[in-house]
Amino acid sequence: MVRYHKQTRILVAIDCIIFGFDGSELKLLLVQRGLEHEKGKWSLMGGFIQKDEDFVEGSARILNELTGLEGVYMEQLYAFGDVNRDPIERTVSVAYFALIDIHKYEKQLNEDYHAEWFPIKDTPKLIFDHQQMVDMAKEKLRYKAAFHPILFELLPEKFTLPQLQSLYEGIFDYQFDKRNFSRKLQSTKLLVKQKDKDKESSKKGAFYYKLDKRRYAANFHAFLNLIPNPGNLK
Amino acid sequence: MVRYHKQTRILVAIDCIIFGFDGSELKLLLVQRGLEHEKGKWSLMGGFIQKDEDFVEGSARILNELTGLEGVYMEQLYAFGDVNRDPIERTVSVAYFALIDIHKYEKQLNEDYHAEWFPIKDTPKLIFDHQQMVDMAKEKLRYKAAFHPILFELLPEKFTLPQLQSLYEGIFDYQFDKRNFSRKLQSTKLLVKQKDKDKESSKKGAFYYKLDKRRYAANFHAFLNLIPNPGNLK
DNA sequence: AATATTAATTGTAAAAAAAACACTTATTAT
DNA sequence: ATAATAAGTGTTTTTTTTACAATTAATATT
């Protein structure tokens, strides 16, 4: 086989930033590093890309090996290439981020794995440049969520408007007017009102909604103004 | 030195998508490939990342080696990792895109280099997955330009409102109302009217404007609604 | 010197979208 | 029967966006 001579070949890793929502706050999934160096320290789900797998396959494999999770929505975030980002040996890392409903994957994510959810506002010190990755992922999530209906990936199939609003409020760290919020989200036509209510969090109960799957698929990339005052974003 | 054993090390390339504006249309800078395989075919500026350089250094070096250009604004686009994207040997590529004023770099980009500008709507067949890279870069440019004052990177220091408008019209392939366009761009407070006029393209002449550098730096990441009907974007 | 030509410049009114704001309702607990 | 709690709902005001056409400055023509 013909090859490119005299070029440096480098380790290529994939690191996954997994965001989850438990109904009240945004969380981050971390594992304790198994490799020797920095063993036991908290880390993103990471691993090296293999000879015959592309990034999509690699990220799915790494996530599955470390957490047991499967079928999770993932999106490329950024490639990190600082020369000394891994002190052992130069490693380029392609970071992916994922959004999941914590409860949906509760059983998959069992004790066989040393993965643990941390509130996004209270995470432990991370190895390498993983904190930088998390910060960038948070920023991208906020940016994207302001204009695209992406946060539904964090919710269970059935959810209430108050739940949806507190998810948005958690992510944007801002209190929205519930009348305006409701009107805006309803105007996307993505929500289908159910006949039953969630009676957990109030006496009156809040009607469940489901996503209109067809419209959701069609509007996933569409531009919607989902939050007030987007001018504050960067 | 400690190393990670039994892991595959892979070639890591950087490919640069260079957009330029000549005052009337958007163009793409391409080179004829120097390496053996597919030699002579048109290609993005590309090269392998070296042992001791990060992506920023690498992209600047590659761009300079192939075009003589220096000091160009670059931004990471996406990492491409398909197993067979380079038929010679597996190569991961981190794509960067750049925006430049063609005339500003006319002299740097001399005949020593086999780089050539092509109208974005009429580019030759490209090697590997470079067309995919270009398509993604175009999409990202449109998306970003709709909300951030990024297109000024394509313009000379002094420019007129009609020039600015035709740049936007070229990129969005849409005719804007000049009264509304002018008002919207002026409302960003980024433009400083000059006392002299460009007399090239009309009898009356059009006043030059310059960027307010301070405000530009402060607003580069700010969210502005720069085009009508952003809802059409994805 | 008057007139025609060309493209730049400027304003206003109508429509749509966003923001501000508070009371009623359903249900459970007392 | 009443109190307590959180869900649900409408209207007005303000802001933003859109649609639309006449005037002006400079040059070219007669």
Side-chain angles (χ1 to χ4, degrees):
Chain A
M1 184 193 177
V2 190
R3 302 184 87 217
Y4 296 107
H5 292 294
K6 299 183 185 167
Q7 296 297 339
T8 308
R9 287 158 184 83
I10 302 175
L11 286 168
V12 178
I14 291 194
D15 287 301
C16 306
I17 298 111
I18 316 288
F19 292 113
F21 185 64
D22 64 0
S24 68
E25 65 177 337
L26 192 66
K27 294 190 168 180
L28 182 64
L29 189 62
L30 299 172
V31 284
Q32 283 185 291
R33 183 171 160 89
L35 298 174
E36 291 147 39
H37 187 77
E38 302 251 39
K39 190 166 178 171
K41 296 281 183 64
W42 290 100
S43 158
L44 295 170
M45 281 21 72
F48 296 108
I49 198 83
Q50 302 295 305
K51 201 168 169 300
D52 291 310
E53 69 186 359
D54 61 28
F55 293 155
V56 172
E57 293 158 353
S59 57
R61 174 185 56 79
I62 287 163
L63 184 64
N64 183 257
E65 284 177 6
L66 291 172
T67 66
L69 298 176
E70 272 179 19
V72 164
Y73 166 83
M74 290 242 244
E75 179 177 338
Q76 191 182 112
L77 174 66
Y78 199 75
F80 294 81
D82 279 3
V83 176
N84 296 307
R85 50 172 300 283
D86 184 328
I88 303 288
E89 178 181 344
R90 178 159 195 196
T91 305
V92 158
S93 172
V94 181
Y96 276 72
F97 79 92
L99 304 177
I100 72 179
D101 162 26
I102 290 183
H103 299 308
K104 178 174 174 190
Y105 293 95
E106 232 160 20
K107 282 166 193 166
Q108 276 187 49
L109 192 66
N110 57 40
E111 297 114 32
D112 298 351
Y113 303 96
H114 299 275
E116 208 171 296
W117 288 107
F118 289 85
I120 195 73
K121 283 172 185 164
D122 185 22
T123 56
K125 192 172 184 325
L126 301 178
I127 63 164
F128 304 167
D129 52 358
H130 286 194
Q131 187 60 52
Q132 189 192 345
M133 294 179 176
V134 171
D135 292 342
M136 196 184 284
K138 274 164 63 181
E139 198 176 287
K140 182 151 180 176
L141 179 61
R142 287 171 63 122
Y143 190 95
K144 224 174 156 167
F147 308 117
H148 303 279
I150 192 177
L151 296 187
F152 294 103
E153 299 291 333
L154 287 161
L155 289 168
E157 196 184 4
K158 294 199 310 186
F159 52 86
T160 67
L161 284 179
Q163 279 166 17
L164 187 59
Q165 181 166 350
S166 62
L167 170 57
Y168 273 84
E169 291 184 343
I171 290 197
F172 290 99
D173 205 12
Y174 187 81
Q175 303 286 108
F176 303 124
D177 178 274
K178 62 184 174 182
R179 286 161 293 187
N180 293 339
F181 182 85
S182 168
R183 191 180 314 114
K184 184 163 273 188
L185 270 290
Q186 304 262 173
S187 76
T188 64
K189 311 274 187 96
L190 294 175
L191 305 184
V192 184
K193 192 172 187 172
Q194 303 302 112
K195 294 210 170 94
D196 52 337
K197 282 181 165 183
D198 164 42
K199 307 295 289 293
E200 298 291 308
S201 50
S202 80
K203 289 166 184 168
K204 183 175 177 180
F207 280 105
Y208 280 117
Y209 286 79
K210 281 188 183 179
L211 265 185
D212 181 325
K213 294 264 171 69
R214 277 184 65 85
R215 284 180 192 270
Y216 180 61
N219 284 283
F220 192 69
H221 292 283
F223 186 88
L224 308 167
N225 235 47
L226 293 170
I227 62 146
N229 301 314
N232 303 326
L233 284 174
K234 63 167 193 168
Chain B
M1 185 190 174
V2 191
R3 301 183 87 217
Y4 296 107
H5 293 293
K6 298 181 186 169
Q7 296 297 339
T8 308
R9 287 159 184 81
I10 303 176
L11 287 168
V12 179
I14 292 194
D15 287 300
C16 306
I17 298 112
I18 316 289
F19 292 113
F21 185 64
D22 63 0
S24 67
E25 64 176 338
L26 192 67
K27 295 190 168 181
L28 183 65
L29 189 62
L30 299 172
V31 285
Q32 283 185 291
R33 182 172 160 88
L35 298 174
E36 292 148 35
H37 186 79
E38 303 251 39
K39 190 167 178 171
K41 295 281 183 66
W42 290 101
S43 158
L44 294 171
M45 285 14 77
F48 296 108
I49 197 83
Q50 302 294 306
K51 201 168 168 300
D52 291 311
E53 70 187 0
D54 62 27
F55 292 156
V56 172
E57 293 158 353
S59 56
R61 174 184 57 79
I62 287 163
L63 184 65
N64 183 257
E65 284 176 7
L66 292 172
T67 66
L69 297 177
E70 272 179 18
V72 164
Y73 165 83
M74 290 240 246
E75 179 177 337
Q76 191 181 114
L77 174 66
Y78 198 75
F80 294 82
D82 279 3
V83 177
N84 296 307
R85 50 173 300 285
D86 184 328
I88 302 288
E89 178 181 344
R90 177 158 196 197
T91 305
V92 159
S93 172
V94 182
Y96 276 72
F97 79 94
L99 303 177
I100 72 179
D101 162 25
I102 290 182
H103 299 308
K104 179 175 175 190
Y105 293 95
E106 233 162 18
K107 282 165 191 162
Q108 277 187 49
L109 191 66
N110 57 40
E111 297 114 33
D112 298 351
Y113 302 97
H114 299 276
E116 208 171 298
W117 288 107
F118 289 85
I120 195 74
K121 283 170 185 164
D122 185 23
T123 55
K125 192 172 183 328
L126 302 177
I127 63 165
F128 304 167
D129 52 357
H130 286 194
Q131 187 60 52
Q132 190 193 343
M133 292 178 177
V134 172
D135 292 342
M136 196 184 283
K138 275 163 63 181
E139 199 176 289
K140 182 153 181 175
L141 178 61
R142 287 170 63 121
Y143 190 95
K144 223 175 156 166
F147 308 117
H148 302 279
I150 193 177
L151 297 187
F152 295 103
E153 299 290 333
L154 288 161
L155 289 167
E157 197 185 4
K158 294 200 310 187
F159 52 86
T160 67
L161 284 180
Q163 280 166 16
L164 187 60
Q165 182 166 348
S166 62
L167 170 57
Y168 274 85
E169 291 183 343
I171 290 199
F172 291 100
D173 205 14
Y174 186 81
Q175 303 286 108
F176 302 123
D177 178 274
K178 59 186 171 182
R179 286 162 292 189
N180 294 337
F181 182 85
S182 168
R183 191 181 313 114
K184 184 163 276 189
L185 269 291
Q186 305 260 174
S187 76
T188 64
K189 312 275 187 95
L190 294 175
L191 305 184
V192 184
K193 192 173 187 171
Q194 303 302 113
K195 294 211 169 92
D196 52 336
K197 282 181 165 185
D198 165 43
K199 307 294 290 291
E200 297 291 308
S201 50
S202 80
K203 290 167 184 169
K204 182 175 178 180
F207 280 104
Y208 280 116
Y209 286 80
K210 281 188 182 177
L211 265 186
D212 181 326
K213 295 265 172 69
R214 277 184 65 85
R215 284 180 191 270
Y216 180 61
N219 285 283
F220 192 69
H221 292 283
F223 187 88
L224 308 166
N225 234 47
L226 294 169
I227 62 147
N229 301 314
N232 303 326
L233 286 173
K234 61 168 192 168

